[in-house]
Amino acid sequence: PRDGIVALPVTVTTRVFGTIRGPLRVPVRTEDDHPRIAWAQRLTFPGLRDGEHLTRRTNLPRRADLLARDGTPLAEGEGRTSPLASASAISGALGPIPKDRALELRAQGVPDDAQVGTSGLERVFDERLRGTPGGVLRAGGRDLGAGIAMPAPAVRTSIAPSVQTAAVDALAGRLGGIAVVRPRTGEILGLS
């Protein structure tokens, strides 16, 4: 210790805010001829000062498009629309974060008010469709780190539009289900 302080260089790599570097100034006192750390809450993260807490503001990029095997959109844009009338039967829906996924999604940087995949392929490929969150990490009124939200590339599925349409038409609104699978590869070509 120098003047009762040990300065430690610390590097924290975050998924959303990038790499944050800074000294962690650890106060040391001597008790019974042994050095001891004088613990304080600010020692939990570099850049924190006494009485400060970390806060964050995160945002998601535009959600990636969900495509059929031939590139036909199954769900695209903010409205998650498709030129394929039967796409909604398999693409699924977006909605508020379900309670059972809230902690997991928060840890991934997903804002609490985000719309996430709740059913169908929107749910299956939710993490890939969301892209990488961005935002700002703050301590008090100071920015400690920031990251830019990065959109994901479109996700191409094995769904064949003609097979999907035939499966939906075959049910004609009746209760039931149809799965069309290519036996050799296990690819799902249609699902209703």
Side-chain angles (χ1 to χ4, degrees):
R2 179 168 288 158
D3 297 326
I5 301 289
V6 174
L8 301 171
V10 175
T11 301
V12 178
T13 302
T14 69
R15 182 184 334 212
V16 177
F17 312 110
T19 301
I20 299 168
R21 293 180 173 84
L24 195 60
R25 299 178 45 81
V26 180
V28 177
R29 64 175 185 251
T30 303
E31 289 180 14
D32 302 324
D33 291 331
H34 297 295
R36 307 267 190 233
I37 293 174
W39 176 254
Q41 184 69 30
R42 66 179 167 74
L43 297 176
T44 59
F45 202 86
L48 275 179
R49 297 177 184 155
D50 284 330
E52 289 183 332
H53 299 282
L54 290 176
T55 58
R56 70 181 189 173
R57 186 179 66 248
T58 58
N59 60 300
L60 292 176
R62 177 189 177 276
R63 192 169 179 88
D65 294 341
L66 185 60
L67 306 175
R69 71 183 311 118
D70 68 357
T72 301
L74 297 173
E76 68 178 343
E78 197 171 313
R80 307 309 283 166
T81 59
S82 173
L84 185 63
S86 62
S88 63
I90 192 160
S91 63
L94 299 179
I97 296 174
K99 288 182 182 178
D100 64 328
R101 294 177 60 204
L103 288 176
E104 168 198 355
L105 293 175
R106 190 168 199 326
Q108 292 175 15
V110 176
D112 294 335
D113 62 349
Q115 295 284 299
V116 298
T118 56
S119 64
L121 294 175
E122 291 281 13
R123 171 63 181 102
V124 171
F125 294 115
D126 188 50
E127 188 169 354
R128 287 179 52 191
L129 293 166
R130 278 195 321 261
T132 304
V136 178
L137 180 67
R138 299 178 60 87
R142 296 169 293 111
D143 293 350
L144 296 182
I148 297 171
M150 300 297 294
V155 174
R156 188 178 297 262
T157 69
S158 60
I159 300 300
S162 60
V163 175
Q164 178 65 23
T165 299
V168 170
D169 290 349
L171 279 179
R174 294 182 296 250
L175 186 59
I178 295 175
V180 182
V181 179
R182 178 171 281 151
R184 189 174 311 145
T185 63
E187 292 175 294
I188 298 172
L189 303 177
L191 193 62
S192 180

